[in-house]
Amino acid sequence: MAILLQDLSLTSKGILAFFALYIVYQIVRLSAQFYRHNSIIKKNGCKPVATYPHRDPIFGLDIFLENSKLTKTGGFWDRVRERYLALDCWTFSQLLLGTRVINTAEPENIKAMLATQFKDFELPPRRKEALQPIFGHGIFTTDGKEWEASRALLRPNFSRNQIADIETFEHHVSAMISWIPKDETTVDLQELFFMLTLDSATEFLFGKSTSVLEGDVTNEEGVKFGEAFNYATARMSLQTRLGKLAVILPDKKFKDSVNLIHEYVQNYVQKALHKKSLTLETPGEANSRRYVFLEELAKTGYSEKKIQDELLNILLAGRDTTAGLLSYLFHYLARRPDVFDKLRAEVVALGNDQPTFEDMKGMKYLQYCLNETLRMQPIVPSNFRFAIKDTTLPVGGGPDGKSPIFVKAGTQVNYQVYVMHRRKDLYGEDALEFKPERWENLRPSWHFLPFNGGPRICIGQQFALTEASYATIRILQAFKRIEPRDSSILTEAMTLTMAPRNGVKVGLIPA
Ligand code: HEM
């Protein structure tokens, strides 16, 4: 008994010693951290950033619950903008389920994260956790060396020759136009735009289109793929926002959709790899055939899984975005006959032929309209980065918001392009008006960022603008007028990107 008691007291002494050591260790660690942080703050003249006055100062549930509601009803991004206006600053910190994050709508801060201090920031773990189960390790879901390798692999496939495959666009755009009623009855153009971008992106990537616009019942597989893709991306958007919380909401349909997506793409990748192993092409043959992204990747010797991942990454990045841009553009065109007429005059000057790449480049007003749509409705309205070391951002500190701010390693910084694009101090008092003419004198810089900037700038920008321009020109050649058939207030539907919540219901009058 005495030995047992002695043992116990030895054990408790051991535990006490362990705790004492742990406390000393923590004191030393925190003091060193405090010293390190303070020296960065002093050296850079950092000042405190404004903080959001939460009603729940522990978890910030007030914003979280309000945001969850707005995701369902729309009005999310306008409310985010109002929070900035109420605080009268363009950078502030808030709580996200108990963790402090920084929000910014300052071009200088965004430029620092995306370009000048690129190495201090990465994608947040939440984005990777949500996307990697479906999209694996590809350009859109990785960082560091892995991302560099993806970017180097994919970049050459986005050269002008590849993206200017006007014949492919023509095929899908004319299939889409055939769905637009010629008797002026109402049509939801947004539905057609989402079908168009799925068909054209899958053709460009896999060499075989989902052909959902062909209305071909034999192509049930493509239609199912489209549905599964829509469902999976909507669910992933929830996961990106909620993080691990989303995992407690089991979803069989999501699992089934992911399996279907993988099987569909695997099938094409296997076919391409098999074809490559059977054929040896002469350069002449290679020049004369149609460009297929997957076939080019198959030549690189990368594994089947890697190729599948990259294809899905590009489909994710490229499909909804271009459809969103076209949807918003036609929303505005339907409500602004002055803009429609001016744009149509530029289109009509081309005649009725298929526009060439050069024609499209020369259409100034079309470019103004696309820029203005992307300014008012940046399809990726907000994005985030994660500080991987203690660092600073150039502005947002002090009462005037002009001093640098300290950003602790592990902090998430959200940058709201939507808010920045509507700043009156950057765009003038008419910043909330859709006004393509403003682009006559505006030069895009870091305050206009629909495609991101720096090393991770959108790789498909030219593809998107070419497809959107081509579709717009062909529609305006075929129809001389457009009428809105929906009086609801414009608000957004949020998935990983955004698009008009109520679609784009219009009537079109044939030319
Ligand atoms: C209007 C249409 C589009 C918009 C507004 C848009 C916007 C963006 C934005 C904001 C990013 C940065 C995302 C981030 O780093 O977090 C991005 C990246 C990317 N985009 Fe686009 N995009 C569009 C169309 C396309 C198209 C058509 C493709 C491909 C066919 C594409 C492929 C990509 C890829 C692969 C990335 C990742 C680049 C990297 O991380 O290195 N995008 N895009």
Side-chain angles (χ1 to χ4, degrees):
M1 184 66 176
I3 290 173
L4 193 67
L5 283 176
Q6 202 181 5
D7 271 1
L8 267 179
S9 89
L10 271 180
T11 318
S12 46
K13 272 188 194 150
I15 293 173
L16 272 178
F18 173 78
F19 268 115
L21 266 178
Y22 180 73
I23 289 168
V24 172
Y25 163 75
Q26 285 299 346
I27 292 173
V28 172
R29 191 182 66 81
L30 290 173
S31 313
Q33 191 187 64
F34 182 76
Y35 176 78
R36 233 183 20 249
H37 290 178
N38 245 353
S39 56
I40 298 177
I41 290 169
K42 273 209 186 116
K43 187 173 150 216
N44 294 281
C46 296
K47 296 210 172 128
V49 63
T51 51
Y52 186 81
H54 282 284
R55 265 176 285 121
D56 167 14
I58 298 175
F59 296 108
L61 280 180
D62 46 342
I63 286 198
F64 181 78
L65 294 174
E66 191 184 23
N67 282 354
S68 306
K69 198 171 128 214
L70 291 167
T71 311
K72 293 191 197 108
T73 57
F76 188 101
W77 296 115
D78 284 330
R79 181 70 191 108
V80 171
R81 181 170 169 270
E82 277 166 25
R83 287 185 197 128
Y84 276 97
L85 296 180
L87 284 170
D88 194 19
C89 65
W90 299 114
T91 303
F92 67 92
S93 83
Q94 69 160 83
L95 288 165
L96 180 69
L97 294 176
T99 307
R100 198 147 278 289
V101 298
I102 295 174
N103 294 306
T104 189
E106 283 285 11
E108 271 193 71
N109 285 346
I110 301 177
K111 179 178 169 189
M113 282 189 288
L114 300 184
T116 46
Q117 292 167 230
F118 180 71
K119 290 217 152 62
D120 296 355
F121 294 90
E122 281 193 349
L123 306 180
R126 177 174 292 193
R127 167 154 148 193
K128 296 185 216 169
E129 278 162 21
L131 301 189
Q132 283 177 348
I134 311 182
F135 295 95
H137 290 243
I139 188 167
F140 205 68
T141 55
T142 53
D143 274 306
K145 294 269 171 252
E146 217 182 348
W147 164 77
E148 272 174 30
S150 286
R151 182 104 189 171
L153 170 72
L154 301 177
R155 191 83 194 89
N157 298 299
F158 281 91
S159 78
R160 194 181 131 174
N161 287 352
Q162 270 77 280
I163 56 161
D165 184 356
I166 301 289
E167 279 316 314
T168 308
F169 286 143
E170 173 60 21
H171 175 75
H172 299 297
V173 169
S174 64
M176 180 188 73
I177 291 179
S178 71
W179 282 94
I180 301 178
K182 311 291 174 296
D183 60 359
E184 304 178 23
T185 50
T186 303
V187 59
D188 184 354
L189 282 182
Q190 183 165 302
E191 274 180 20
L192 295 181
F193 291 146
F194 272 78
M195 290 160 117
L196 170 72
T197 53
L198 184 65
D199 279 357
S200 62
T202 45
E203 172 140 22
F204 169 65
L205 294 173
F206 311 145
K208 167 110 174 69
S209 171
T210 39
S211 299
V212 289
L213 277 170
E214 314 281 309
D216 182 354
V217 276
T218 56
N219 190 30
E220 204 185 322
E221 209 196 3
V223 174
K224 278 195 181 149
F225 175 77
E227 283 166 8
F229 197 80
N230 290 346
Y231 189 80
T233 42
R235 164 78 193 200
M236 273 182 329
S237 146
L238 182 76
Q239 287 190 10
T240 324
R241 282 195 300 276
L242 294 186
K244 291 196 176 72
L245 261 187
V247 183
I248 56 177
L249 309 168
D251 186 341
K252 179 161 181 318
K253 188 168 171 191
F254 176 65
K255 271 197 175 155
D256 293 345
S257 304
V258 173
N259 289 342
L260 195 147
I261 292 171
H262 284 170
E263 273 167 28
Y264 185 88
V265 179
Q266 246 162 23
N267 181 21
Y268 285 112
V269 177
Q270 279 165 0
K271 274 191 201 148
L273 289 174
H274 181 64
K275 187 169 161 201
K276 182 217 143 213
S277 68
L278 292 181
T279 53
L280 270 178
E281 232 173 14
T282 65
E285 278 169 343
N287 286 340
S288 62
R289 68 168 169 75
R290 191 166 53 86
Y291 178 87
V292 175
F293 200 94
L294 166 54
E295 287 172 8
E296 298 308 309
L297 287 195
K299 290 181 197 158
T300 59
Y302 275 87
S303 71
E304 191 182 313
K305 171 80 173 87
K306 178 73 183 159
I307 296 174
Q308 174 185 317
D309 287 355
E310 295 297 1
L311 287 173
L312 278 172
N313 271 248
I314 295 172
L315 191 58
L316 169 73
R319 186 267 174 131
D320 290 6
T321 42
T322 314
L325 166 59
L326 277 166
S327 301
Y328 279 116
L329 173 63
F330 277 82
H331 167 91
Y332 286 118
L333 290 179
R335 283 152 186 85
R336 289 288 302 274
D338 56 327
V339 176
F340 183 91
D341 290 346
K342 204 163 160 184
L343 182 58
R344 189 155 190 278
E346 196 177 59
V347 168
V348 168
L350 283 180
N352 267 330
D353 295 340
Q354 276 177 243
T356 62
F357 193 78
E358 280 63 36
D359 289 335
M360 289 187 266
K361 278 266 151 224
M363 294 178 69
K364 287 267 165 291
Y365 197 65
L366 176 58
Q367 282 166 30
Y368 298 162
C369 288
L370 290 168
N371 273 357
E372 186 63 351
T373 305
L374 288 167
R375 183 187 71 82
M376 292 290 289
Q377 309 292 347
I379 311 301
V380 182
S382 170
N383 212 324
F384 28 48
R385 290 294 186 261
F386 183 80
I388 51 169
K389 55 188 269 215
D390 293 332
T391 184
T392 59
L393 285 174
V395 285
D400 60 2
K402 294 210 162 73
S403 302
I405 55 169
F406 174 65
V407 183
K408 203 168 111 184
T411 305
Q412 179 173 313
V413 185
N414 305 325
Y415 55 101
Q416 276 102 12
V417 175
Y418 182 91
V419 177
M420 178 170 77
H421 282 185
R422 288 170 178 241
R423 277 178 61 170
K424 293 188 177 170
D425 58 330
L426 298 177
Y427 285 96
E429 277 309 304
D430 58 1
L432 300 185
E433 262 176 59
F434 180 81
K435 201 170 168 189
E437 287 71 17
R438 77 173 76 244
W439 290 95
E440 282 164 15
N441 303 312
L442 264 180
R443 292 290 154 266
S445 167
W446 281 93
H447 64 287
F448 179 62
L449 225 52
F451 293 102
N452 237 33
R456 290 196 89 138
I457 194 168
C458 174
I459 210 171
Q461 177 171 349
Q462 276 316 317
F463 185 99
L465 293 174
T466 308
E467 183 171 21
S469 301
Y470 194 87
T472 305
I473 295 170
R474 290 310 245 171
I475 296 174
L476 266 63
Q477 283 172 330
F479 298 91
K480 64 177 184 221
R481 219 153 43 77
I482 178 168
E483 284 172 2
R485 299 278 167 82
D486 178 6
S487 55
S488 57
I489 293 171
L490 177 65
T491 187
E492 74 283 327
M494 279 165 52
T495 55
L496 286 172
T497 56
M498 69 173 190
R501 177 170 282 269
N502 296 316
V504 182
K505 300 187 187 78
V506 295
L508 288 130
I509 294 89

